[in-house]
Amino acid sequence: MADVVAGLAVFGAVIAVGWLLVRTRAVPADADGVLTRVCFFVATPALLVTTLSRADLSAVVSRSTTVAVAAELAAIVSAWCLHRLVLRGSTAEATIGALASGYVNAANLGIPVAVLVLGDAATIAPILLLQLLVLTPVTFTVLDAVTRRGNPSRLATLTVPLRNPLLWGVVAGTAANLGGVNLEHWCGGYPAQGLEMLGRVAVPLMMLALGMSLAGAPRPLRNTPADEPAQTSQPSLPVHPAHPAQDAQEPLADGLDQDVHAAEQAADRPFHAGEPHAPDAASSSLRGESRRSGLWLAVGWKLVVMPGLAVAIGLAAGLGGAQLLVPVVTAALPTAQNVFMYASRYGVGKDLARDAVLLTTAGFVPVVLLAAAILR
């Protein structure tokens, strides 16, 4: 337990360094975008290749990781039903609410936390594949259909995961493992040395980028300059779901600051003929209450209910102790920044998604510590 606390403290210190670099203007406010792209395109794929190439694949595809996948699916489906049927949100709003309640930050925080708490980054691979191959295409398809402003090419939407370097990192590492390829003996070991060097910088760069992104993030639950209009067939931002860098898994996308700026620009756009009239005070208050209810539902579902589902499903599957810790820690990971990116691009639930990312990122540490204290 002490080593987990110490490790998380180190993570917190590195995140704080990233925050200070931006706040003191030692680096540009959008510097997190550069680090994010380095992690996304180079460092994290290298880490996945080296980790999976020598991992015990029976541990990667095990009852523990199967329970983690089942818990995430159960959390997202149940949260969608609540946002749609109880809070009376539209289909698009319920989709964003469900993702905020269960779509975990598997790369930027999942890999470092898996290394620290579970001792193996490979355990996060099934969640990465679930989110890359299933949840992302389904999300784009649903939001395209209900907002009617998506990319007209269904092929482009459904092949987004194939342009994701994290997916190919998982594929290459698994293929090397199954093929019995020892990277250290391949081509004199030089490729392995390069991959190891790049993989070692992935975790610290992720932590620095997270701290930088938090430095310019708006205060949760703040009032937006203009309330979001009721959902219509036209979202407030253009949608380009086939962009390989921006629509990929986890890596802070273009940086939280840039997405917030884009969302605020959309909220502040001038009124034009044909657009919905500005809401009156009563309707604004009702929408504000609805947003707050949706936000607290998403945060509570993410930090409490989803880990609880992991415990329940894990116990039903016969897991206990360290085996049960894998799905519980995975379930406790915060909401991925991608959820805010999707909300911004489709003009749906931007406030909820943004605040859910910030609040779950701030609140997941106690949940992980409690799980480690009980199950390790």
Side-chain angles (χ1 to χ4, degrees):
M1 180 61 184
D3 58 336
V4 175
V5 174
L8 288 174
V10 171
F11 281 3
V14 177
I15 292 171
V17 169
W19 185 87
L20 284 171
L21 286 173
V22 172
R23 298 299 292 182
T24 59
R25 300 183 180 180
V27 298
D30 60 352
D32 64 293
V34 176
L35 296 187
T36 290
R37 285 174 173 78
V38 172
C39 288
F40 177 57
F41 287 105
V42 181
T44 304
L47 177 61
L48 289 170
V49 170
T50 56
T51 300
L52 289 171
S53 66
R54 54 175 178 253
D56 179 3
L57 293 185
S58 64
V60 175
V61 185
S62 64
R63 281 190 300 166
S64 294
T65 55
T66 301
V67 168
V69 168
E72 178 160 345
L73 289 173
I76 289 176
V77 171
S78 57
W80 189 93
C81 293
L82 287 174
H83 281 272
R84 184 73 176 94
L85 303 177
V86 177
L87 297 183
R88 301 294 182 181
S90 67
T91 299
E93 290 169 336
T95 300
I96 295 299
L99 292 177
S101 306
Y103 192 108
V104 304
N105 191 330
N108 274 24
L109 279 174
I111 290 175
V113 170
V115 171
L116 172 65
V117 180
L118 306 175
D120 188 2
T123 55
I124 207 71
I127 293 295
L128 277 171
L129 293 176
L130 168 69
Q131 296 186 165
L132 287 169
L133 299 179
V134 179
L135 297 181
T136 295
V138 168
T139 296
F140 287 148
T141 300
V142 170
L143 293 178
D144 283 350
V146 298
T147 63
R148 302 174 188 174
R149 283 289 300 275
N151 192 308
S153 170
R154 289 288 174 227
L155 179 62
T157 297
L158 295 176
T159 56
V160 165
L162 299 181
R163 294 187 293 277
N164 190 307
L166 300 184
L167 173 64
W168 292 111
V170 172
V171 170
T174 303
N177 192 309
L178 293 175
V181 177
N182 189 333
L183 296 180
E184 295 180 356
H185 297 158
W186 184 56
C187 296
Y190 296 112
Q193 292 177 25
L195 289 171
E196 289 283 355
M197 185 180 301
L198 291 170
R200 280 196 294 270
V201 305
V203 171
L205 288 184
M206 290 175 194
M207 298 296 98
L208 283 172
L210 177 59
M212 291 176 181
S213 72
L214 293 176
R219 179 171 56 87
L221 296 176
R222 69 179 179 87
N223 294 322
T224 52
D227 289 302
E228 290 178 354
Q231 293 304 316
T232 67
S233 63
Q234 294 186 353
S236 59
L237 291 178
V239 182
H240 304 288
H243 194 291
Q246 293 177 334
D247 290 329
Q249 164 69 23
E250 301 319 322
L252 294 174
D254 286 329
L256 195 55
D257 295 346
Q258 295 176 9
D259 283 330
V260 171
H261 179 63
E264 290 173 343
Q265 283 183 324
D268 290 335
R269 69 193 188 285
F271 174 79
H272 296 290
E275 290 189 348
H277 290 288
D280 57 28
S283 61
S284 295
S285 177
L286 287 174
R287 272 201 297 277
E289 289 296 330
S290 177
R291 281 202 300 264
R292 282 190 288 273
S293 298
L295 172 62
W296 291 121
L297 171 61
V299 172
W301 214 257
K302 185 69 212 62
L303 296 180
V304 179
V305 175
M306 188 169 167
L309 286 171
V311 170
I313 298 173
L315 291 175
L319 300 181
Q323 287 184 319
L324 186 57
L325 186 61
V326 172
V328 173
V329 167
T330 302
L333 291 171
T335 303
Q337 289 91 341
N338 282 30
V339 178
F340 178 67
M341 181 183 69
Y342 302 158
S344 296
R345 290 179 179 276
Y346 286 91
V348 179
K350 298 186 291 290
D351 291 343
L352 183 152
R354 178 199 65 216
D355 292 347
V357 170
L358 293 175
L359 292 173
T360 56
T361 300
F364 87 100
V365 172
V367 182
V368 171
L369 289 177
L370 179 62
I374 294 174
L375 298 175
R376 285 193 75 174

